[in-house]
Amino acid sequence: MNFALSDDHRMLRDSARAFLDEEVNLQPLLKRGATVEQVDYLGMWGKIAELGWPSLIVPEAYQGLGMSCLDLAMILQEMGRALLPCPISGALAGVWSILKGGSEAQKERLLPMAVTGDLKLALAVCDADGTCDGPASDARATADGDDWRLNGSKAFVVDAAAADMIVVAAENGGRRGLYLVDATAAGVEIELLRWRDTTRQLCNVRFANASAELIAADDAEIWPWIKDRLLLVLSAENAGGLQKVLEMSTEYAKQRMAFGRPIGANQAIKHGLAETFGLVECSNAAVLYAAWMLSEAQPSASLAATMAKAYTSDAYRKATHQNIQVFGAIGFTWEMTNHLYFKRARANAEMLGGTAELRSHVIDLLMREAA
Amino acid sequence: MDFDLPKDDDPRRLDVRAWFERHPNPTGRELFAAGYVVPHWPRPWGLDADTELQLIIDDEIKRAGLPAPSSVNPVAINNCAQSLLTHGTPEQQARFLPPALSYEEGWCMLFSEPSGGSDLGGLRTSAQREGDHYVVRGQKIWTSNAHTSKIGVLVARTDPTASKHAGLSQFLIDMDAPGVTVRPIQDMTGAAHEYNEVFLDDVRVPADRLLGKEGEGWRLSNLQLQTERAALSKPGAVWGQGPSARDLVKALIQTGHIDDPGVRDEAAQLYIEGELLRLLAYRALTDRMNATPSGPEAAVRKMLAAPHGQRLLDLAKRVQGQGGLVEGEEIFPLPNESRHLFDNWDYAFWFSPAVTLGVGTQEILKNVLGERLLGLPRDVDPTAKGPWIDTQRPELKPAN
Ligand SMILES: Cc1cc2nc3c(=O)[nH]c(=O)nc-3n(C[C@H](O)[C@H](O)[C@H](O)COP(=O)(O)OP(=O)(O)OC[C@H]3O[C@@H](n4cnc5c(N)ncnc54)[C@H](O)[C@@H]3O)c2cc1C
């Protein structure tokens, strides 16, 4: 056992940070009405594809780098820190879906294209009521000879508008399965949501007899595996953003003067930031632990991922609010990045289950263990 | 990064377990000779143990039904004795370490005074050099275990003309020396005799009982408060001992209280926090193995662990309703292997207000964290500069 980061992991993290510091400029987003289009959403995809990020989690057999969730977590934290506007979350979700659910032929056909960045994927799993666990679904699949047809809709789909192909969780005969549609095919309609977190694109997708390819007829064993990884993605983003927000508040508290001294000399501020430091420490531990558990396919990996998402979500929400309070009125303006972090925190906290739901699931898992 | 804990059939574990089978009721001296009291210390005191071996030894001590060494002689083992390795003379090491680490001489910490505990640097007890002795005059308070200790780690002022922090020195004094009077203080739990007042009236302390050099008292005291050993086995609610969040969830499941949605949500939060604190404790251990010195990071864990413990004991008490208010009733299941007073949920709850006071109050910890880790400006201390003695005369107090 060794609870310290290895030098390799440190290097991976540092090089990701250096790249993102250089490349990500959120300035154009700091205007009411601006969207990810203004911050080179798709251009950024090309740049990270050059770095090989889309290939990290793809096994070498499909021309990927075959790295682990722990390796990935190093980069995810930095993406969260930078609020990287880029359709990578959807791409990861899509790749995991095909990796876990697809046939050998499908993997051989699709994954090498995902690796080079030529194929952008997304995963449509949530329904309009916010649930995502199946087996019910607002989208239905029906057989049409060897082909499949999708009807209905999916909601809150991350990065669907940027995707070339979308993996859709649709119901057929009481089971929920995974189906692949071409995002530009007839009968696929993608509507951008006015998502409060403007560093990301979320969409509703409607299907009208859209032609689809079967990935897996029953996702009951597949979806939980994917979901644990998506919980890790959100947790790692949360932890990275949390760290950044603490740095922002601390720096400001040292510089902003009131009553003849820096505001950070006051205990109300100082102690609040000390508490946030505690949240950062725990969030990092939660993320690394979950990432390691997933990498090692440990039996409690699901518990660890659920705990990480629940903990980091609360922590991130709290710290991003504090980050507005510490800045005073300037922190409440659209022209500062404070609100981008606040909104990212609020959004991440609700995606794939709010904290109350996740915590209830933690107790379920513990009761199952105890029984 | 590797979170794997040593397995049940780890050969080193089997060795340690075999030792405990051969020594079912080991004396402190036997435990010390085996290196099990401070395994992470260098030889001959410990085993130079790495993190895994330490965890194994901790587990096996617990498994053998023995109390953790750190709870038997906490002041020596958690806080102070390690200073002898770095600042003690070879004679001091030979005189004090073996009996302390064999549980034969209990130690206590003579730091806090009636005039204040947080502002340790402002203490008033004096130690004046007279020939080959120091003569100590003053009063200490809140001294845990003073009544059962042979050795007191004393911080006293050797130079009143130096600034408040620079004029302090540390001594290892005999608690049975003439002039030392110990009086018990009844704490609010009403159950145990936890702490004491200690009066020091012209106590003659041989000069070779000075630890380190004159003027090093402030640094040593701070180091000792930080080196408190990572509470390994479980993040117990009371300074690492007593019930943990895992025990709480188990008990709430057993009693059915978990079916209340509010309780369920709080319990899950506490469980998650408890697991994360466990990870931080392991990481601190790894850091020490990697020779990263324990610094203000220890304050982070204490800042998180103390209120976590209070909240978990609070929930345990609340679910009992009025029944939890009757003295002597223990209607909540005890953790399996209870051998310490803190393992009693009821006692632990009534004790819990102390955990954000002792070993640095919550407020002081947040100051330390904010100032040393985040680099925020220091709190104002008008008494920090100039000769300490001047700050004691109101008419001469520096005007801020
Ligand atoms: C169970 C128990 C066992 C103990 N055992 C020992 C022992 O063995 N040896 C020993 O020497 N001491 C011991 N102590 C004493 C302990 O170290 C002190 O209680 C502690 O340092 C606080 O000092 P005080 O009680 O004088 O409170 P004070 O220092 O008077 O503080 C009172 C309150 O003011 C707050 N405060 C003080 N300064 C500041 C500041 N700058 N900013 C914000 N808030 C501030 C404190 O946080 C606290 O809430 C023990 C205490 C307890 C409860």
Side-chain angles (χ1 to χ4, degrees), chain B residues 223-376:
Chain B
L223 275 176
Q224 290 159 0
L225 290 170
Q226 278 166 16
T227 49
E228 175 201 3
R229 185 167 174 242
L232 277 181
S233 43
K234 52 177 187 179
V238 185
W239 292 324
Q241 299 184 59
S244 69
R246 284 186 186 177
D247 298 321
L248 174 72
V249 170
K250 232 180 269 165
L252 292 172
I253 292 175
Q254 273 172 33
T255 54
H257 290 297
I258 200 76
D259 298 336
D260 176 311
V263 169
R264 188 182 170 92
D265 191 59
E266 265 186 83
Q269 282 189 47
L270 287 163
Y271 180 86
I272 294 170
E273 252 177 41
E275 293 306 294
L276 298 179
L277 285 168
R278 201 181 291 267
L279 292 173
L280 292 189
Y282 289 150
R283 204 198 58 202
L285 219 55
T286 309
D287 285 350
R288 199 174 51 213
M289 294 302 137
N290 300 344
T292 319
S294 90
E297 288 78 12
V300 184
R301 272 178 299 122
K302 167 108 199 314
M303 175 190 78
L304 293 164
H308 166 76
Q310 288 175 339
R311 281 201 303 276
L312 88 82
L313 292 167
D314 171 68
L315 179 58
K317 184 51 83 183
R318 263 188 291 131
V319 297
Q320 295 171 10
Q322 295 192 94
L325 276 301
V326 180
E327 190 169 346
E329 296 268 311
E330 183 59 67
I331 59 174
F332 209 57
L334 294 172
N336 288 335
E337 347 83 356
S338 33
R339 58 186 67 89
H340 194 284
L341 202 47
F342 289 142
D343 288 330
N344 177 308
W345 287 98
D346 182 58
Y347 178 74
F349 170 76
W350 298 110
F351 188 87
S352 66
V355 303
T356 43
L357 294 172
V359 207
T361 70
Q362 194 69 357
E363 289 75 21
I364 295 301
L365 290 176
K366 288 182 189 169
N367 269 359
V368 168
L369 254 166
E371 293 168 10
R372 305 222 201 119
L373 283 176
L374 298 176
L376 293 167

Side-chain angles (χ1 to χ4, degrees), chain A residues 1-342:
Chain A
M1 72 179 244
N2 184 349
F3 285 68
L5 278 185
S6 70
D7 288 342
D8 285 349
H9 282 137
R10 249 181 258 279
M11 263 173 55
L12 197 57
R13 189 189 59 191
D14 292 349
S15 64
R17 182 173 302 185
F19 168 79
L20 293 169
D21 277 350
E22 178 77 24
E23 294 290 340
V24 178
N25 174 19
L26 298 175
Q27 207 57 39
L29 269 184
L30 301 179
K31 234 193 294 160
R32 174 67 171 143
T35 70
V36 285
E37 309 290 354
Q38 272 88 56
V39 282
D40 203 22
Y41 197 52
L42 292 178
M44 197 59 83
W45 171 260
K47 289 180 192 165
I48 68 160
E50 250 167 62
L51 287 181
W53 289 0
S55 70
L56 284 175
I57 54 160
V58 176
E60 288 167 13
Y62 312 107
Q63 276 114 65
L65 292 173
M67 290 169 96
S68 69
C69 284
L70 189 54
D71 302 321
L72 179 67
M74 299 297 120
I75 290 175
L76 291 171
Q77 286 205 4
E78 294 309 313
M79 296 195 312
R81 176 189 173 86
L83 295 179
L84 171 68
C86 174
I88 175 94
S89 302
L92 287 170
V95 165
W96 274 317
S97 304
I98 287 165
L99 251 183
K100 187 68 179 171
S103 68
E104 199 49 41
Q106 286 169 326
K107 291 185 211 174
E108 278 171 12
R109 172 166 57 90
L110 299 166
L111 293 178
M113 288 195 288
V115 160
T116 55
D118 293 325
L119 170 63
K120 290 189 294 305
L121 290 160
L123 171 64
V125 68
C126 284
D127 291 318
D129 64 1
T131 59
C132 58
D133 287 336
S137 172
D138 293 347
R140 292 170 312 282
T142 40
D144 176 17
D146 284 345
D147 204 6
W148 290 82
R149 295 281 163 182
L150 294 186
N151 280 288
S153 63
K154 296 305 282 185
F156 309 112
V157 185
V158 180
D159 297 329
D164 306 303
M165 288 183 160
I166 305 174
V167 178
V168 183
E171 192 243 69
N172 170 264
R175 292 182 306 177
R176 197 176 73 171
L178 298 179
Y179 302 82
L180 188 67
V181 297
D182 188 326
T184 57
V188 178
E189 189 195 332
I190 297 173
E191 172 210 355
L192 278 182
L193 294 174
R194 296 177 66 200
W195 192 243
R196 280 286 186 180
D197 171 11
T198 52
T199 61
R200 246 210 253 284
Q201 262 184 354
L202 267 79
C203 312
N204 284 344
V205 185
R206 273 180 290 279
F207 308 99
N209 225 24
S211 165
E213 170 184 347
L214 179 70
I215 301 277
D218 189 345
D219 75 357
E221 302 284 317
I222 298 166
W223 166 239
W225 184 94
I226 303 168
K227 183 179 180 183
D228 287 342
R229 280 152 185 78
L230 299 182
L231 291 174
L232 173 68
V233 172
L234 291 168
S235 307
E237 283 181 7
N238 291 347
L242 181 57
Q243 166 95 44
K244 170 70 183 177
V245 155
L246 174 62
E247 287 168 22
M248 284 168 74
S249 309
T250 305
E251 210 38 56
Y252 193 73
K254 287 177 193 172
Q255 285 164 11
R256 176 72 174 171
M257 302 291 285
F259 303 97
R261 55 189 189 146
I263 57 169
N266 300 292
Q267 289 189 355
I269 304 258
K270 184 188 293 181
H271 289 187
L273 295 176
E275 281 167 22
T276 302
F277 187 89
L279 299 180
V280 169
E281 289 282 289
C282 287
S283 294
N284 285 334
V287 168
L288 293 178
Y289 187 59
W292 179 82
M293 296 283 266
L294 289 169
S295 300
E296 302 285 312
Q298 293 279 331
S300 309
S302 195
L303 177 62
T306 309
M307 296 199 305
K309 167 68 163 52
Y311 185 89
T312 59
S313 295
D314 272 355
Y316 199 17
R317 275 197 291 223
K318 206 163 163 188
T320 50
H321 181 193
Q322 176 186 58
N323 191 39
I324 293 173
Q325 181 68 21
V326 167
F327 274 69
I330 187 80
F332 177 67
T333 62
W334 202 286
E335 70 189 69
M336 299 290 285
T337 56
N338 304 50
H339 72 107
L340 296 182
Y341 285 95
F342 180 80

